[in-house]
Each structure stands twice: as C-alpha cells, then as structure tokens.
Amino acid sequence: MRLILAEDSTLLREGLLRLLAEEGHDVVAAVGDGEALLAAAEVHRPDVVVTDVRMPPTHTDEGVRAAVRIRENWPEIGVLVLSQYVEKRYAAKLIGGDGGRVGYLLKDRVAQVGEFLDALERVAEGGAAFDPEVVRRLVARTSHEDALGKLSPRERGVLEKMAQGHTNAGIAELLYISQSAVEKHVNAIFDKLDLPQAAGYSRRVLAVLRYLGS
C-alpha cells in the first residue's frame, strides 16, 4: 500500500513510519503540516493518507481541513484521520459523499497496533473505520431524536457498528448474531428512518448520517 503520513510530532511520525514499513507498506511522503500534505497528495496520489488533525502553523484544524480537501479533489485517495480530539464538524464532512475510503481514529487507538492496521486496510479497500469513542461522542447530541427513538436496542447497536464502518459480516461477528439477522435489522433501520430506495443514494450512508445528526 502506498501511503502519505502527515504528523507534526517527529517522535510519533518516526514511530508510525517504522511500523508501516515493517508491515510492508510504502510511505511515499512524510510531512508535518497541512499545506505540505496537500502538495504531496497532488504529486504522489497515494492509496491512503494518514493525517493528524492539529498541525502547524495554528495547531487547530489544518490536518482535517486538508483531509476534507483531499476527499473533494481526489476521491480515489483514502483518508484516515488520527486525533486526540473529536472534531464533530469535520468528522461529519469526512463521511459525506459515498461514505467510503475514510476513517477517524483517536490516537490512543494507534497503540492498539492490530486495530490501527485493520482500520488502515478497511479504508484502503474502500470501506470506513470510525473509532467507537468518536461515534459515541457524535451521537450523544442526537440520542433524543424521534426517528432514532423508533429503533430497538438491537437495531441501535447494529447502526452504531455501521457508523464505525463495519460490514454486515463484521457486525454479525461482533454482535454474535447471523448475517441474515443483521440484514433484517438493517432493513428495519431503513424503514424506521424513512429511507426508501432511491437511485444515486446509499441508504446505508444516509442512515449513518442521520445517526450522526448531520
């Protein structure tokens, strides 16, 4: 896998470089700010960009803003955001479009090497990977909404796993239920959230966006 790594902490950047190289990935550029990330993405067109949220010069949201621009300009490039914080506004923007090739993990998750590499693979393969804590914080403000209130506890659990980027097969494994049961719950979610079949739209993405209150 060809990667660009954007991280202003030299220590963390070097650690991630070593980890990714040991796993057989090709890090074609390693940069320390948002502008350099955009320039590198235009030149190298990697499979996935791994970026911090807060980088120089202001250390506010340069990295995640660059990630949103990469999603807009080169949708074929996967984006995996790493952060110590949940940036609600930009997290919702990131999962717009087709909802694929995108992930958002808290940096604590990087310490769980297996989970980090699994998320990276899912993003590269066109899927999504959202940290459970990110999803929990994003949905906290919407838990009172009437449409979501129609869902059963099991359906809410399935939708939460969908928001984390898991496939139906992955949800079945995580919740210890059959894949056909997951499909049944997913269809019930679509019905209860009033998401009919419509050409050009993914009901799965729309359901997740509804869940996140976007």
Side-chain angles (χ1 to χ4, degrees):
M1 188 187 310
R2 297 175 69 253
L3 300 162
I4 290 177
L5 178 60
E7 169 58 60
D8 63 306
S9 165
T10 303
L11 184 62
L12 181 56
R13 186 169 67 234
E14 291 301 317
L16 286 171
L17 270 171
R18 183 170 300 181
L19 169 65
L20 293 168
E22 289 175 351
E23 292 296 323
H25 300 304
D26 181 14
V27 180
V28 295
V31 299
D33 62 72
E35 289 300 318
L37 169 58
L38 287 169
E42 183 170 17
V43 170
H44 296 287
R45 305 295 176 91
D47 299 311
V48 178
V49 162
V50 179
T51 182
D52 189 9
V53 167
R54 300 184 177 185
M55 290 195 291
T58 68
H59 295 279
T60 54
D61 54 13
E62 286 85 352
V64 72
R65 283 195 286 113
V68 171
R69 285 185 59 186
I70 289 170
R71 294 273 293 164
E72 294 170 349
N73 294 342
W74 306 290
E76 73 279 9
I77 299 177
V79 171
L80 178 59
V81 174
L82 302 178
S83 179
Q84 291 177 315
Y85 315 95
V86 179
E87 299 284 352
K88 293 182 177 179
R89 180 175 44 154
Y90 288 109
K93 282 187 177 181
L94 280 171
I95 67 169
D98 63 4
R101 294 187 182 279
V102 63
Y104 194 127
L105 299 182
L106 295 181
K107 283 188 174 177
D108 290 346
R109 196 69 57 183
V110 177
Q112 308 296 323
V113 174
E115 292 185 30
F116 168 63
L117 295 174
D118 175 68
L120 190 60
E121 292 287 346
R122 275 195 276 155
V123 170
E125 292 171 359
F130 282 82
D131 192 292
E133 180 62 16
V134 173
V135 173
R136 188 189 68 77
R137 295 189 194 179
L138 287 171
V139 304
R141 60 177 175 167
T142 64
S143 60
H144 63 283
E145 291 186 0
D146 291 342
L148 295 175
K150 298 176 184 175
L151 304 182
S152 69
R154 176 61 83 187
E155 289 161 354
R156 288 187 67 90
V158 169
L159 184 51
E160 181 178 340
K161 297 302 180 190
M162 288 166 59
Q164 292 169 14
H166 294 287
T167 63
N168 285 357
I171 294 170
E173 184 175 352
L174 289 168
L175 298 183
Y176 304 105
I177 57 179
S178 68
Q179 190 166 332
S180 62
V182 173
E183 291 167 356
K184 180 181 176 181
H185 290 309
V186 170
N187 286 327
I189 291 167
F190 292 157
D191 290 340
K192 291 183 179 180
L193 296 185
D194 192 23
L195 298 172
Q197 288 277 13
Y201 293 93
S202 165
R203 289 197 295 173
R204 196 177 185 92
V205 172
L206 292 175
V208 170
L209 288 173
R210 183 77 59 84
Y211 186 53
L212 299 181
S214 302

